[in-house]
Amino acid sequence: MKQRSWAEPWKVKMVEPLTMTSPRERRVALDAAGFNTFLLRSEDVYIDLLTDSGTSAMSDRQWSALMRGDEAYAGSRNYYELESVVHEVYGYREFIPTHQGRGAEFILSQLQVKPGQWVPGNMYFTTTRYHQELAGGRFIDVIVDEAHDSESEFPFKGNVDLAKLQRLIDTSGRKGIAYLSLETNVNMAGGQPCSMENIRATCALCHHHGIPVYLDATRCVENALFVKCREPGFEQHTIPQIVREICDQTDGCTMSGKKDSLVNIGGFLALNDLTLAEEARNLLVCHEGLQTYGGMAGRDMAAMAVGIRESIEEPHIRARVGQVHYLGQRLLDAGVPIVRPLGGHGIYLDAARFLPHLARCEYPAQALAAAIYLDSGVRTMERGAVSAGRSPDGAEIFPKLELVRLTIPRRVYTQAHMDVTAESIIEVFEHRSEIQGLRMVHEPKRLRFFQARFEPIVA
Ligand code: F0G
């Protein structure tokens, strides 16, 4: 059968005007932001691909749910609605609402990491690793080697390398390992999925040794679509069935509702262990809020309950990933070096191959993100050495992947915005030899990428 096009399963009801800026205005804005796209004002941005986090457009059903917020301090109706949706979609016995994903990561790490323990994971995520280290743990990467190779076409680059995990278990033993941190659709690898086969085998290995597995379910629905499309035997499964099967292998999850769940703020921790959940609620009341709202207003829980249901509808997730792939294909056709296979939530430019004339210590990804903004007002994010930061001994980490992420917000931009973006990247690619490296002139101690400032290195 001839391949037919996908289209968004929605139409536009309200619009938000965008600012168009001149090259001179963008130069002034970039200087003021210290060449860090995080420090730009959003008013100076035309197409904002900084992140897919909290940037989704809500549906009319979600907006109307906001009006049904029950802002009771204790026992809000929206808490019970959200608890029941989370239970149905993700499984898990205990539901603990937090203000966003990192709120859940903080609680989990504080309770489950003892100083000196390893926390293996399929690549790090910035805030997740930060909380593990804050609790005294040491992150160790056990993702498959293919994940570090932007040119490998391996379809499940999010997979855990079982041999690496086994070696860690052999050398450290159960007591030396806090838990396995398993991320679906691995963000820092380019939005790359894990196969169900690998999730099953990884969880079986951990459980055999008494090691719990906590899922980062932030982009689990996107991962479920890749399982359906790429993994033999899952063609006939529904998205909700695959999501549940992933979660059912694990002992709990942290969740940033700002991604898959289509809300601007919110998250949760979900657990199967009742005792652990009790301890988590004790921490929750001190750091987030009472157990029936955690870090969220009643209305935000209401919008999230609707968003989770919408997130697992197949036409939605197909259109969401379809749009990302549309942009990716345009760049591939033009020969722009990007991470392959195309991932779920964004396109990742390989800055090391894009700007081979820059040394890693000149922060090619940061320089490329700045150059793209200057060209068109499209805002992207560095995901390379600046994001990786420093190891606990103070040495700068230069990860194999030096990337610029073009993250696509859900249900926000049109195909025409993707065309404008692709044309800008291609233009920058054609003039890539003119891009200068950067020097860091201000470096915050923790999660430096958010607030670091840079200057061009003038030859
Ligand atoms: N885990 C993953 C995989 C994430 O991508 C994020 C956030 C978090 C946890 C933390 O969740 O922001 O709600 O506290 N990622 C955003 C991004 C910030 O731009 O990739 P949060």
Side-chain angles (χ1 to χ4, degrees):
M1 202 175 79
K2 220 166 80 191
Q3 176 91 29
R4 303 281 291 259
S5 294
W6 58 271
E8 293 81 0
W10 41 262
K11 56 184 176 174
V12 177
K13 189 177 311 212
M14 190 188 277
V15 297
E16 178 183 338
L18 297 174
T19 328
M20 318 284 280
T21 49
S22 67
R24 216 187 60 81
E25 286 167 329
R26 291 197 289 275
R27 180 69 215 204
V28 171
L30 192 65
D31 280 339
F35 281 71
N36 184 347
T37 53
F38 275 103
L39 299 178
L40 287 167
R41 290 172 180 235
S42 91
E43 282 171 343
D44 295 328
V45 171
Y46 173 33
I47 298 173
D48 202 348
L49 307 184
L50 184 74
T51 178
D52 63 334
S53 180
T55 52
S56 298
M58 292 207 295
S59 66
D60 52 359
R61 290 176 233 161
Q62 285 178 289
W63 279 104
S64 53
L66 278 183
M67 298 304 293
R68 288 185 285 105
D70 170 4
E71 307 304 341
Y73 189 86
S76 162
R77 180 183 65 241
N78 312 121
Y79 166 80
Y80 295 104
E81 286 164 3
L82 182 55
E83 181 191 41
S84 132
V85 175
V86 168
H87 186 67
E88 181 189 316
V89 173
Y90 292 96
Y92 306 117
R93 280 195 250 164
E94 299 293 313
F95 161 71
I96 296 157
T98 58
H99 74 286
Q100 57 186 85
R102 66 199 73 179
E105 291 168 355
F106 169 73
I107 294 172
L108 181 70
S109 311
Q110 289 296 315
L111 293 176
Q112 291 291 76
V113 180
K114 293 197 192 79
Q117 279 186 318
W118 291 107
V119 189
N122 51 345
M123 210 172 258
Y124 80 102
F125 183 69
T126 53
T127 59
T128 322
R129 189 185 72 189
Y130 174 80
H131 281 300
Q132 292 159 358
E133 289 175 356
L134 194 69
R138 290 176 294 170
F139 172 81
I140 180 164
D141 192 357
V142 292
I143 203 164
V144 292
D145 286 341
E146 287 89 341
H148 296 282
D149 173 3
S150 71
E151 292 178 83
S152 156
E153 291 284 357
F154 187 58
F156 291 106
K157 283 177 161 182
N159 280 358
V160 169
D161 184 325
L162 294 170
K164 287 183 194 166
L165 181 58
Q166 183 68 60
R167 268 200 301 280
L168 179 71
I169 297 171
D170 292 344
T171 52
S172 312
R174 161 67 188 103
K175 288 210 170 76
I177 299 173
Y179 54 83
L180 177 86
S181 187
L182 181 68
E183 185 185 333
T184 30
N185 245 40
V186 180
N187 189 353
M188 301 300 276
Q192 302 291 328
C194 309
S195 71
M196 188 70 81
E197 186 191 13
N198 183 262
I199 294 173
R200 283 190 194 130
T202 300
C203 293
L205 176 61
C206 285
H207 290 151
H208 175 72
H209 292 276
I211 300 164
V213 179
Y214 294 108
L215 183 70
D216 182 337
T218 297
R219 297 184 183 83
C220 187
V221 182
E222 288 167 9
N223 199 118
L225 179 68
F226 286 119
V227 167
K228 184 174 169 85
C229 298
R230 293 183 186 167
E231 192 164 352
F234 287 91
E235 304 83 357
Q236 301 307 322
H237 285 54
T238 66
I239 297 297
Q241 280 169 342
I242 300 172
V243 169
R244 257 316 275 280
E245 188 167 344
I246 293 172
C247 296
D248 284 353
Q249 313 295 316
T250 66
D251 300 277
C253 80
T254 54
M255 175 74 183
S256 169
K258 302 171 73 171
K259 284 80 165 177
D260 269 356
S261 309
L262 298 163
V263 285
N264 306 121
I265 194 75
F268 60 83
L269 172 66
L271 297 165
N272 284 333
D273 184 312
L274 303 186
T275 318
L276 187 61
E278 170 90 17
E279 288 175 43
R281 291 193 175 103
N282 288 336
L283 266 187
L284 186 82
V285 292
C286 263
H287 292 279
E288 299 268 324
L290 196 78
Q291 66 273 13
T292 56
Y293 71 86
M296 278 188 276
R299 57 177 169 271
D300 292 331
M301 292 192 282
M304 191 163 155
V306 177
I308 290 176
R309 283 203 197 285
E310 292 179 356
S311 75
I312 52 173
E313 286 170 11
E314 194 167 322
H316 157 72
I317 196 66
R318 278 195 185 275
R320 189 279 182 284
V321 176
Q323 187 179 42
V324 173
H325 287 199
Y326 174 80
L327 174 62
Q329 198 54 52
R330 280 214 55 178
L331 296 178
L332 280 176
D333 292 346
V336 177
I338 65 177
V339 173
R340 297 195 316 261
L342 301 174
H345 66 303
I347 296 304
Y348 288 64
L349 307 177
D350 184 338
R353 281 194 288 139
F354 201 114
L355 302 176
H357 59 287
L358 297 188
R360 294 296 298 278
C361 59
E362 296 175 313
Y363 308 118
Q366 192 78 33
L368 180 54
I372 294 166
Y373 173 74
L374 266 185
D375 179 73
S376 58
V378 170
R379 171 155 68 171
T380 60
M381 186 195 286
E382 191 269 2
R383 293 274 85 155
V386 180
S387 294
R390 294 179 184 273
S391 56
D393 67 8
E396 235 183 337
I397 302 170
F398 290 104
K400 282 208 182 111
L401 296 178
E402 175 75 11
L403 307 175
V404 171
R405 187 179 75 171
L406 287 80
T407 346
I408 313 302
R410 295 164 186 80
R411 310 192 292 202
V412 171
Y413 292 115
T414 65
Q415 202 146 316
H417 290 116
M418 297 300 107
D419 288 335
V420 168
T421 301
E423 285 161 19
S424 169
I425 307 288
I426 293 165
E427 177 89 19
V428 172
F429 186 57
E430 280 162 6
H431 296 97
R432 59 193 179 278
S433 61
E434 294 159 27
I435 297 174
Q436 296 162 325
L438 298 175
R439 145 179 351 107
M440 201 182 303
V441 291
H442 169 66
E443 181 178 359
K445 242 186 172 160
R446 296 279 188 178
L447 298 176
R448 64 182 187 176
F449 55 94
F450 284 131
Q451 292 170 73
R453 300 183 71 85
F454 303 83
E455 271 172 12
I457 301 169
V458 184

